[in-house]
Amino acid sequence: ENAGGLHDVLALLAVLVWVGHVYMAMANPSTRESLRGITLGWVKREWAQEHYEKWVEETDRQAQPRASGPGQS
């Protein structure tokens, strides 16, 4: 009998956590952009700059063309 009550409480808790995750992913404007990154593989630069500044800086450094040839490094 106690196992059934515990199961019911844990099931309710799991549903509440799931609902919270769905809300944060879809309805909450501050995290909606991250859902785009997960599903489509890209986010707006402004959002990335605000949330992952170091990553944006590293990406920018890697995107800069590098000089190559004799005597250049």
Side-chain angles (χ1 to χ4, degrees), residues 7-17:
H7 179 270
D8 292 346
V9 169
L10 292 176
L12 177 60
L13 181 62
V15 168
L16 292 174
V17 168

Side-chain angles (χ1 to χ4, degrees), residues 37-70:
I38 293 169
T39 57
L40 300 177
W42 66 274
V43 295
K44 293 177 183 173
R45 180 178 178 77
E46 296 81 20
W47 185 88
Q49 183 72 36
E50 182 179 334
H51 294 275
Y52 299 99
E53 183 178 355
K54 290 181 181 181
W55 175 76
V56 172
E57 291 170 0
E58 178 66 25
T59 302
D60 288 346
R61 276 195 300 275
Q62 291 175 357
Q64 291 176 355
R66 297 183 181 163
S68 61

Side-chain angles (χ1 to χ4, degrees), residues 17-35:
V17 168
W18 179 80
V19 168
H21 274 77
V22 170
Y23 167 75
M24 291 299 288
M26 298 178 76
N28 186 352
S30 67
T31 57
R32 195 173 301 141
E33 189 69 28
S34 60
L35 182 62

